[in-house]
Amino acid sequence: MIRDQETMQILLDSIRSFVNEALIPREEEVAETDEIPEDIVSQMRDMGLFGLTIPEEFGGLGVTMEEEVNIAFELGRTSPAFRSFIGTNNGIGSIGILLDGTEEQKATYLPKLASGEILSSFCLTEPDSGSDAASLRTTAVRDGDHYLINGTKRYITNAPHAGIFTVMARTDPEIKGAKGISAFIVEATTPGITIGKCDKKMGQKGAHTADVIFDNVRVPSSALIGENEGVGFKTAMKVLDKGRLHIAAIAVGAAERVLEDSLRYAMERKQFGRPISDFQLIQAMLADSKAEIYAARCMVLDAARRRDDGLSVSTEASCAKMFATEMCSRVADRGVQIHGGAGYVSDYAVERFYRDVRLFRLYEGTTQIQQVIISRNMIREAQQ
Ligand code: COS
């Protein structure tokens, strides 16, 4: 639901200008230095981009899901590393606190996340627990009015920059599956936390992931999200339902950017005495990409509106994530094809996007996990 179309349009216009004028010209620099420049981070803070989704009472903009995906369509048009830097505060790093945290936890952490004073990271994945998230082994053992956390989390986005981690850990080792898991807010300065070396990724330079190792990390019982044991897995799943819609929207934006670049190239590049956009085989690739982007955009908007209406969107978020991210890879592949040899060298952004967007089909649940969720929900509904 868009609350005020006019205000929203002003925000979208300012984000579009920021992307076009401040971010796109710095993409190469980010790819080369593997860092988001500090002046860009500070502009993002000034624009309120760290707190887009955090309610106004905690200092954020409190955007609805429909507003959020519209913003993500714009932010998706540049290197995903920029979005990644603000992404955890707006998504997987804050939503657990927002949805299931106590009033005190919200009041303590959300204002700092909204302002960008601190970053947050979501610690679910482990070396031996990826798609099978409920098999995680990190433990949080009660010790008086504290918990002792031990375990290793893997591929944690923004870990080297995080001020807090939301950590899924097993509080009841007797229960092997989801019900033994609880969620905690762990401050990064707590003794016993080590951040591993940054992962050397295929793409998305400037977005940092690393291991987070917890060695007898002692946190007060007030760090337990919602002060409620055994519901941490459900918190994580709810967080991902929302996160997946956001990633789907980012994938739409990235595909639009690749198509814009490909169309421009096709109209400029001449072969056989004519721009290659005159050739029907090139036109077919442009048209297929256009139609698929349009379909994904419609799916994302529909799922976002349903969520704003208070409906469960587990199925729709997975459908949108699966379709939009697979679509984005196809569009990027066609983009390289349209650019020909030029698409394989780094003079053109399409080469970088081709690698960057590959991650969309993996994180926040692989395409195959989305298929599992969609089909399971279908079977469950049919059985009822
Ligand atoms: N919202 C709320 N609750 C949910 C939920 C959702 N979207 N999905 C599952 N749950 C609940 C279930 O209802 C169940 O609770 P009850 O036993 O009380 O009914 C509990 O959580 C366990 O669910 P389920 O039995 O479906 O768990 P599984 O172990 O079978 O795993 C999948 C489910 C595969 C969907 C899950 O492990 C998953 O999403 N894996 C991918 C993880 C991922 O995306 N990782 C990316 C890294 S994070 S960036």
Side-chain angles (χ1 to χ4, degrees):
M1 186 183 61
I2 305 238
R3 292 162 302 172
D4 173 358
Q5 192 69 52
E6 205 178 318
T7 312
M8 189 61 207
Q9 201 50 56
I10 294 169
L11 179 63
L12 287 177
D13 288 346
S14 73
I15 292 176
R16 176 164 271 256
S17 308
F18 179 59
V19 166
N20 285 340
E21 289 154 29
L23 301 186
I24 292 178
R26 308 285 289 275
E27 288 176 353
E28 265 306 309
E29 178 188 340
V30 170
E32 269 165 32
T33 60
D34 196 17
E35 294 290 342
I36 307 291
E38 195 42 53
D39 65 300
I40 297 281
V41 174
S42 120
Q43 284 182 72
M44 294 199 291
R45 275 201 199 99
D46 293 346
M47 290 176 76
L49 296 186
F50 285 91
L52 290 167
T53 61
I54 293 174
E56 284 156 302
E57 59 180 305
F58 300 112
L61 294 182
V63 298
T64 65
M65 194 72 225
E66 185 179 353
E67 290 168 344
E68 180 181 339
V69 297
N70 274 288
I71 292 168
F73 292 150
E74 297 299 334
L75 289 173
R77 291 181 54 257
T78 185
S79 289
F82 293 117
R83 195 283 325 175
S84 193
F85 204 75
I86 57 162
T88 47
N89 279 29
N90 282 298
I92 55 178
S94 68
I95 304 299
I97 303 172
L98 185 59
L99 293 180
D100 290 339
T102 61
E103 286 313 311
E104 200 185 331
Q105 288 167 343
K106 291 183 206 176
T108 306
Y109 296 108
L110 294 180
K112 291 182 192 163
L113 296 177
S115 66
E117 180 187 331
I118 59 168
L119 260 60
S120 59
S121 286
F122 178 71
C123 296
L124 178 67
T125 301
E126 299 181 357
D128 293 317
S129 164
S131 291
D132 184 7
S135 71
L136 64 83
R137 290 200 201 146
T138 295
T139 52
V141 177
R142 183 118 202 174
D143 178 25
D145 56 0
H146 283 74
Y147 287 89
L148 271 184
I149 303 182
N150 280 286
T152 298
K153 297 292 180 176
R154 180 141 292 174
Y155 309 138
I156 304 304
T157 301
N158 284 335
H161 314 288
I164 57 167
F165 300 100
T166 52
V167 184
M168 270 39 75
R170 196 167 289 287
T171 36
D172 191 340
E174 297 300 311
I175 306 175
K176 294 284 171 238
K179 286 194 170 62
I181 296 170
S182 306
F184 294 86
I185 306 166
V186 182
E187 297 191 4
T189 49
T190 318
I193 297 178
T194 314
I195 309 297
K197 277 200 301 199
C198 280
D199 299 314
K200 287 187 183 166
K201 305 190 305 310
M202 174 193 284
Q204 298 214 6
K205 291 284 184 302
H208 302 147
T209 63
D211 279 6
V212 184
I213 301 131
F214 297 87
D215 181 14
N216 278 327
V217 174
R218 200 174 158 79
V219 295
S221 54
S222 59
L224 178 65
I225 293 187
E227 297 197 1
N228 203 357
E229 275 193 16
V231 293
F233 186 79
K234 287 190 185 177
T235 298
M237 291 300 109
K238 288 186 279 183
V239 166
L240 287 171
D241 279 347
K242 182 164 185 294
R244 286 165 182 160
L245 253 180
H246 179 92
I247 297 296
I250 290 289
V252 169
E256 281 176 346
R257 164 68 185 282
V258 169
L259 185 57
E260 274 169 41
D261 284 9
S262 303
L263 176 62
R264 190 181 330 108
Y265 184 84
M267 292 170 73
E268 282 166 4
R269 170 79 176 162
K270 289 203 175 72
Q271 285 297 282
F272 306 101
R274 288 190 283 168
I276 61 169
S277 57
D278 277 5
F279 298 113
Q280 289 183 339
L281 293 178
I282 298 289
Q283 290 172 356
M285 286 194 274
L286 293 170
D288 284 354
S289 294
K290 181 78 182 171
E292 289 189 40
I293 293 170
Y294 179 49
R297 184 180 257 270
C298 291
M299 281 175 86
V300 171
L301 280 169
D302 178 69
R305 287 176 186 141
R306 283 170 187 263
R307 192 175 186 282
D308 284 338
D309 284 344
L311 300 171
S312 161
V313 293
S314 172
T315 301
E316 289 76 9
S318 286
C319 287
K321 203 252 179 197
M322 173 173 83
F323 184 80
T325 60
E326 292 286 331
M327 171 284 289
C328 188
S329 270
R330 286 192 295 273
V331 170
D333 188 68
R334 287 184 202 118
V336 171
Q337 202 65 20
I338 290 167
H339 282 73
Y344 200 68
V345 296
S346 58
D347 299 354
Y348 289 88
V350 72
E351 180 272 337
R352 181 164 26 80
F353 270 90
Y354 180 81
R355 289 180 287 107
D356 285 354
V357 305
R358 188 63 183 84
L359 184 56
F360 295 157
R361 290 156 61 197
L362 304 172
Y363 64 4
E364 301 203 21
T366 60
T367 292
Q368 289 65 35
I369 284 296
Q370 310 312 325
Q371 289 171 320
V372 166
I373 295 170
I374 296 162
S375 56
R376 270 196 196 178
N377 289 350
M378 286 167 64
I379 294 163
R380 201 169 298 145
E381 276 165 30
Q383 280 168 342
Q384 276 165 8

